[in-house]
Amino acid sequence: MDQEGGSTSYDQRVNWRCYYKNLLLLSYQSFGVVYGDLSTSPLYVYKSAYSGRLNQYQDEETVFGMFSLIFWTLTIIPLLKYVFIVLSADDNGEGGTFALYSLLCRHAKFSLLPNQQAADEELSTYYRNGTRSVIHSPLKRFLEKHKRLRTCLLLIVLFGACMVIGDGVLTPAISVLSSISGVQVRTKNFHDGEVAIVSCFVLVGLFALQRRGTQRVAFMFAPIVIIWLLCIGIIGLYNVIHWNHRIYLALSPLYVVKFFKKTGKDGWISLGGILLSITGTEAMFADLGHFTSASIRVAFISVIYPCLVLQYMGQAAFISRNFSEITTSFYESIPQPVFWPVFVVATLAAIVASQAVISATFSIIKQCHALGCFPRVKIVHTSRWIYGQVYIPEINWILMVLCLAVTIGFRDTTVIGNAYGIACMTVMFVTTWLMALVIIFVWQKNNLFALMFLLLFGSIEGVYLSSSLIKVPQGGWVPLALSFVFMVVMYVWHYGTRRKYLFDLQNKVSMKWILTLGPSLGIVRVPGIGLIYTELVTGVPAIFSHFITNLPAFHQVLVFVCVKSVPVPFVPPDERYLIGRIGPRSYRMYRCIVRHGYKDVQKDEENFENLLVLSIAKFIQMEAEETSSGSYDCSPEGRMAVIQTSDLSGTTLVMRDADQLAGDPNPTRSSKSETLQSLQSLYEQESPSVTRRRRVHFDLPDAEHIDPQLREELQALVEAKQAGVAYILGHSYIKARRTSSFTKKFFIDVAYSFLRKNCRGPSVALSIPHISLIEVGMIYYV
């Protein structure tokens, strides 16, 4: 017993040691991805805050009050709100506004997105802690009842996403421009125009490198940010000791009261610059999927928070003795012997901050695309190790052009800061409102707790946001204009896509009509498998009757394939495929629903055909077993079954490499181990590093115990696969009816039509091989 107790104690120590080792490793990695933007804020905060009429208050008490404001803002928003509360509201490890919206849609009927079904609720990741809890709340019933309120909720989430896209334009501009402007401190003949030109060259190089993916330079990010934080922390401590050690008195909130008593309205206007000290805070929650909440908390509390406080304290101590150097206070406060090394580190840190925000922009657009709110764009998975890192070429070059336009057009970090502050604070404000709903509907806490959260953080952020909004004429219009354009694009695409889906839903082909056609469907059935892509998860789309009318023959086996997005971040591979039957067995018609989460990367699944055949074969066998036991659903639609693609050993079919088949005189003599080996190699083929497409062959071994009807259906499936697979896609156009209003005609016939013609085609987005594609055109009048 003593030996067993000692062994258990040793295992626990080993487990705790591994846990802390991984925690410290993730904390180290988070510096380069999460905190680049937040850690570079000292470059421009005091300059932006002191712009305007506050510049006339050049006394120690005002500087102390400003530092006190920065200190308590850092303490209340990033530390109290995000580190201690918001990071706990993860969606299966994912964070961000879409994660909060996804949680709300799954725990209450808030979603406006089509293509949902009850089977999605069986996903292990659908509900928090894996179980559904019934919520009886008047507020919940009120929101579920009124569609306009749910529409407003979606628009608020999309508006927050658009502001994140605005961050992707403004962060590189202000970070790089602020770091390069440090040259002017030591080189007096270096003018603003030259700073803007050098910044543009740096920005072009930064965006040009995006296609290579961040994983190639990610190992450099964390050391750069850590060195930067240590530099600014040590310099801040030096300035406190050297210039004004009394600055520690400003840690008292009394100096905030004194600041507003003295400055009044001018102090309120300066909040638009002070809020820049917390820009990048949202990244702690948005990038949660790559790390853990514990690692982000450890990094912030142990390094980020103390280093930033020391830097802002030291810079305030310097300003209190050098009021004439406010506009360049950061670089002027650096001791001359270490100026150039710190300048180089500052420039590298600005690039890291820009890189992280650009990657986050790609991620947010991918999520919008997955939820049906953004046109189809090319999404490239750039990392084999870091899941979820993507690159979108079209968006990358759009961001670059906009970023260069902002840099050249303004050439002033104060004006860009006005725009930057509005974008960042809007995202935080949206997060606060969504968190209040999460506290009620997901955490199921008392409404009073949610109200306290909303009043505490919402009121503070509302004051900061109001201060930023008055600077709309001085550059603050930029994120609003960008958000308006992207919101229009998202709304038009979502509206057009939804109208098309509702048309399909309301005009489904009657199953009675299909049954009257007979097993031949009234046309010639030729060998092969036809994969008909549709957005419907139940029923047969209207375009199917168009296929039968226009195509002289159809395939022996038909599979209606629906690729759908589920409001969860990731769908486990074993729960991705739903297989079912349409019509009687003799019709050889099946349905396959492929489910993806909003953060899943839909890779080019070259072996999708083989996995589909094995999944259908397993479904046929499961159905036969249920029929023999008397529990089979005999309705025309039947039932949908989740097929675990990682374990298809239960199927009677044997799968082998075609190359091995050529040298085997008895191809039907094979074992299950060969099938498992081939299945394992199929998954290996899905690795981004392997591009060779494997050729496999299916066989149905001789076995007397197989039911004749089951053998006949499996044999038909094997013969159809050997004959070939064709992908059938409806090339549909939607047009507004003649009786529609002018607004509807403009949205459908002009705006949506323009987006559809200029985005990627559905066949490319679905990774359908062009050589096997059949497209049939059809016009929808909605």
Side-chain angles (χ1 to χ4, degrees), residues 180-250:
I180 300 298
S181 64
V183 178
Q184 294 178 303
V185 175
R186 293 291 183 266
T187 309
K188 300 300 181 182
N189 57 350
F190 205 70
H191 303 294
D192 291 343
E194 295 168 326
V195 170
I197 293 174
V198 174
S199 300
C200 287
F201 278 111
V202 174
L203 290 171
V204 169
L206 175 65
F207 283 99
L209 289 174
Q210 292 301 312
R211 64 185 180 87
R212 298 185 177 272
T214 58
Q215 82 279 1
R216 296 180 183 268
V217 289
F219 70 96
M220 295 176 56
F221 285 5
I224 289 173
V225 175
I226 290 175
I227 293 171
W228 164 251
L229 287 167
L230 293 177
C231 285
I232 62 175
I234 294 171
I235 291 172
L237 183 60
Y238 165 80
N239 286 328
V240 169
I241 298 172
H242 182 71
W243 293 106
N244 191 347
H245 64 275
R246 294 181 62 255
I247 189 66
Y248 75 90
L249 296 174

Side-chain angles (χ1 to χ4, degrees), residues 65 88 233 286 395 420 433 483 488 508 543 572 588 622 650 696 700:
S88 300
I395 300 300
Y420 190 32
W433 281 89
S483 297
V488 169
K508 291 190 292 187
I543 204 167
R588 305 289 190 262
M622 291 169 57
V696 299
L700 183 63

Side-chain angles (χ1 to χ4, degrees), residues 293-573:
S293 56
S295 63
I296 293 177
R297 288 184 176 113
V298 167
F300 183 84
I301 295 173
S302 62
V303 179
I304 301 294
Y305 183 72
C307 287
L308 287 179
V309 169
L310 283 174
Q311 168 55 215
Y312 287 119
M313 184 185 292
Q315 209 172 145
F318 173 82
I319 294 174
S320 67
R321 296 290 186 266
N322 302 273
F323 289 104
S324 61
E325 311 292 349
I326 290 176
T327 56
T328 55
S329 60
F330 175 80
Y331 283 108
E332 292 287 357
S333 66
I334 299 174
Q336 190 166 357
V338 297
F339 175 85
W340 290 111
V342 172
F343 170 78
V344 173
V345 175
T347 304
L348 293 176
I351 293 174
V352 170
S354 304
Q355 172 66 55
V357 174
I358 294 170
S359 298
T361 305
F362 294 153
S363 178
I364 204 76
I365 289 177
K366 182 199 173 299
Q367 294 174 33
C368 293
H369 171 262
L371 292 174
C373 298
F374 203 84
R376 292 181 293 268
V377 290
K378 183 178 181 179
I379 299 176
V380 181
H381 188 55
T382 60
S383 176
R384 293 171 54 192
W385 301 280
I386 305 176
Y387 193 82
Q389 285 196 354
V390 294
Y391 166 67
I392 305 176
E394 299 95 327
I395 300 300
N396 182 64
W397 303 122
I398 291 174
L399 290 179
M400 187 190 75
V401 172
L402 293 174
C403 190
L404 292 177
V406 169
T407 304
I408 296 174
F410 292 136
R411 291 182 290 179
D412 184 3
T413 56
T414 301
V415 180
I416 300 175
N418 295 337
Y420 190 32
I422 291 178
C424 292
M425 191 50 65
T426 301
V427 177
M428 295 182 194
F429 199 57
V430 169
T431 299
T432 299
W433 281 89
L434 292 176
M435 266 301 303
L437 295 176
V438 167
I439 291 171
I440 298 173
F441 300 126
V442 182
W443 291 357
Q444 299 184 35
K445 301 295 183 183
N446 192 290
N447 292 356
L448 183 61
F449 183 75
L451 182 62
M452 290 173 59
F453 177 88
L454 187 61
L455 289 177
L456 174 61
F457 299 110
S459 59
I460 295 173
E461 292 167 352
V463 171
Y464 276 110
L465 188 59
S466 65
S467 174
S468 298
L469 290 176
I470 66 169
K471 297 182 179 180
V472 168
Q474 292 85 38
W477 57 269
V478 172
L480 298 177
L482 290 175
S483 297
F484 175 77
V485 172
F486 279 103
M487 276 287 289
V488 169
V489 170
M490 290 181 181
Y491 178 79
V492 168
W493 185 260
H494 178 72
Y495 178 76
T497 303
R498 182 171 174 80
R499 296 303 302 178
K500 180 176 177 293
Y501 173 79
L502 292 176
F503 180 91
D504 273 335
L505 192 64
Q506 296 165 2
N507 295 273
K508 291 190 292 187
V509 176
S510 168
M511 184 57 64
K512 182 179 180 181
W513 178 75
I514 293 178
L515 294 175
T516 59
L517 296 177
S520 67
L521 298 178
I523 55 177
V524 180
R525 301 291 291 269
V526 296
I529 297 178
L531 303 182
I532 304 174
Y533 279 79
T534 174
E535 293 181 359
L536 294 180
V537 295
T538 59
V540 178
I543 204 167
F544 179 69
S545 60
H546 198 61
F547 288 155
I548 294 179
T549 305
N550 290 273
L551 296 178
F554 235 178
H555 297 83
Q556 178 183 359
V557 175
L558 294 178
V559 183
F560 290 85
V561 180
C562 173
V563 180
K564 61 172 296 189
S565 293
V566 186
V568 296
F570 303 104
V571 175

